[in-house]
């Protein structure tokens, strides 16, 4: 059957259409996305303003039309941190439902981490052993660890690349003092969680997902996305440590000229790099393998697991 996942994230609203049935891997059929940047549309009270809600509703309508055009039989709509943490989240969800008919399921941060972990586990298989999975989104950082399909530990921290850029790095290029302050903040937040994971033992395989990690790997020399899903890509901590000071001195336009970096994401690449570097350092990770599957695929896999054969 043809499934659609509608992901209302902090940066983008993304419809992923796949052909799928239980026991088989989902095959991508279509992708439709719009950069809405909900996390940056919050007002001083933490609410998504009328313009932001209107843009969200219009974007959902466009995604519904695309889903209909592509023959989607079952739509799985969900929202993550930007909607979850908005002070008017209930009002936003009600308006979206009233005006589009779409009832967005708001995932908790822990659910995001667990579903992303499931996707990574299915991608790498049982032979990968104990997995440590890192995912940097627009609004949050998810960390999960385990041997099975359900992680033994899963946390979500408010360390998304978009959120941190908006709150900590107003300059372009950023003020070095602001970068230093953000670095301290990020490392303090992550360090609080390390003990929860270290007691579980050393992972056999470290996995990184998300656009931020993919772009950081690409500028560090990893293969292009055009080379296909099955090319192994990794991000080494030493390469990342070399890139952070270089990114600090660049403007957003200059970062957009780097290989694999989109104009829409270039402004928040430095914040993402600081989070990635801190996580890899504090968890003692020398290299992380990039996984092409993440939260959206996890949502699809969970849905397939509950379908009758």
């Amino acid at each position: 059957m043809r499934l659609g996942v509608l992901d209302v994230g902090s940066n983008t609203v993304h419809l992923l259409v796949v052909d799928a049935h239980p026991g088989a891997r989902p095959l991508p059929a279509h992708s439709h996305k719009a950069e809405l940047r909900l996390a940056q549309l919050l007002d001083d009270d933490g609410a998504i303003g009328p313009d932001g809600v209107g843009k969200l509703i219009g974007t959902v309508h466009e995604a519904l039309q695309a889903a209909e055009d592509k023959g989607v039989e079952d739509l799985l709509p969900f929202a993550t941190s930007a909607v979850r943490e908005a002070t008017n989240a209930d009002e936003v969800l009600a308006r979206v439902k009233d005006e589009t008919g779409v009832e967005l399921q708001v995932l908790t941060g822990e659910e995001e981490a667990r579903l992303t972990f499931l996707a990574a586990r299915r991608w790498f298989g049982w032979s990968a052993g104990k997995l440590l999975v890192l995912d940097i989104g627009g609004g949050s950082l998810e960390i999960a660890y385990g041997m099975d399909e359900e992680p033994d530990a899963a946390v979500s921290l408010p360390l998304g690349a978009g959120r941190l850029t908006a709150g900590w790095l107003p300059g372009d290029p950023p003020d070095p003092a602001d970068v230093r302050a953000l670095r301290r903040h990020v490392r303090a937040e992550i360090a609080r969680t390390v003990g929860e994971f270290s007691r579980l033992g050393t992972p056999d395989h470290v996995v990184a997902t998300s656009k931020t990690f993919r772009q950081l790997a690409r500028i560090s020399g990893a293969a292009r996305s055009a080379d296909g899903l099955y090319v192994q890509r990794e991000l080494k901590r030493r390469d990342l440590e070399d890139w952070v000071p270089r990114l600090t001195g660049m403007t957003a336009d200059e970062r957009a000229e780097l290989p694999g970096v989109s104009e829409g994401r270039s402004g928040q690449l430095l914040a993402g790099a600081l989070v990635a570097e801190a996580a890899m350092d504090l968890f003692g990770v020398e290299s992380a393998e990039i996984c092409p599957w993440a939260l959206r695929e996890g949502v699809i896999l969970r849905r397939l697991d509950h379908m009758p054969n």
Side-chain angles (χ1 to χ4, degrees), residues 220-302:
S220 299
R224 305 169 303 161
S225 59
D227 293 333
L229 289 178
Y230 301 106
V231 176
Q232 183 176 356
R233 298 169 176 86
E234 65 177 351
L235 175 63
K236 295 179 180 179
R237 191 172 89 205
R238 67 171 182 267
D239 291 335
L240 188 54
E241 290 171 345
D242 288 340
W243 267 104
V244 167
R246 296 167 66 182
L247 294 172
T248 298
M250 292 181 176
T251 65
D253 287 343
E254 289 169 337
R255 291 186 213 123
E257 295 178 359
L258 296 172
V261 178
S262 65
E263 183 178 351
R265 298 291 185 111
S266 62
Q268 62 189 47
L269 186 63
L270 172 60
L274 289 169
V275 174
E277 180 191 35
M280 294 179 75
D281 184 16
L282 291 168
F283 281 95
V285 175
E286 296 299 327
S287 178
E289 186 167 357
I290 306 300
C291 180
W293 281 5
L295 177 59
R296 285 182 289 275
E297 288 78 11
V299 170
I300 292 168
L301 293 166
R302 181 60 53 81

Side-chain angles (χ1 to χ4, degrees), residues 2-226:
R2 182 154 280 195
L3 296 176
V5 175
L6 181 59
D7 174 3
V8 178
S10 298
N11 283 318
T12 61
V13 176
H14 189 171
L15 170 71
L16 175 64
V17 177
V18 300
D19 291 317
H21 63 270
R25 64 183 178 90
L27 296 174
H30 180 68
S31 177
H32 175 90
K33 65 178 69 175
E35 289 199 353
L36 200 56
R37 301 192 179 281
L38 280 178
Q40 298 179 24
L41 296 178
L42 301 179
D43 61 23
D44 292 340
D45 296 323
I48 300 175
D51 288 346
V53 177
K55 290 178 181 178
L56 173 59
I57 289 170
T59 304
V60 170
H61 273 302
E62 292 173 3
L64 286 175
Q65 184 62 57
E68 179 183 323
D69 292 345
K70 297 302 177 182
V72 169
E73 300 175 55
D74 190 5
L75 184 67
L76 311 173
F78 67 90
T80 56
S81 62
V83 173
R84 179 172 68 235
E85 297 170 13
T87 55
N88 62 337
D90 290 342
E91 175 189 338
V92 172
L93 294 169
R95 277 200 59 191
V96 170
K97 183 179 180 181
D98 288 345
E99 299 191 32
T100 69
V102 172
E103 186 169 1
L104 291 172
Q105 177 190 0
V106 180
L107 300 179
T108 67
E110 183 177 328
E111 285 173 331
E112 285 190 57
R114 290 182 174 277
L115 288 165
T116 301
F117 184 89
L118 171 63
R121 169 58 72 196
R122 293 281 178 89
W123 181 266
F124 289 106
W126 298 114
S127 63
K130 292 176 286 187
L131 291 182
L132 174 65
V133 179
L134 307 172
D135 179 279
I136 302 171
S140 57
L141 162 70
E142 275 70 51
I143 308 168
Y145 174 101
M147 172 67 81
D148 301 317
E149 292 198 336
E150 281 290 330
D152 298 313
V155 300
S156 178
L157 302 175
L159 298 176
R163 176 202 299 268
L164 295 178
T165 300
W168 292 80
L169 301 177
D172 186 27
D175 188 310
D178 291 337
V179 176
R180 189 74 182 179
L182 176 57
R183 185 180 187 274
R184 288 195 298 268
H185 169 71
V186 166
R187 286 175 175 262
E189 288 289 314
I190 295 175
R192 295 191 186 104
T193 72
V194 172
E196 179 180 348
F197 291 88
S198 60
R199 65 180 175 80
L200 298 172
T202 303
D204 298 307
H205 201 77
V206 180
V207 175
T209 75
S210 76
K211 186 81 167 180
T212 293
F213 272 115
R214 291 198 301 273
Q215 291 185 338
L216 291 171
R218 179 72 183 100
I219 67 173
S220 299
R224 305 169 303 161
S225 59

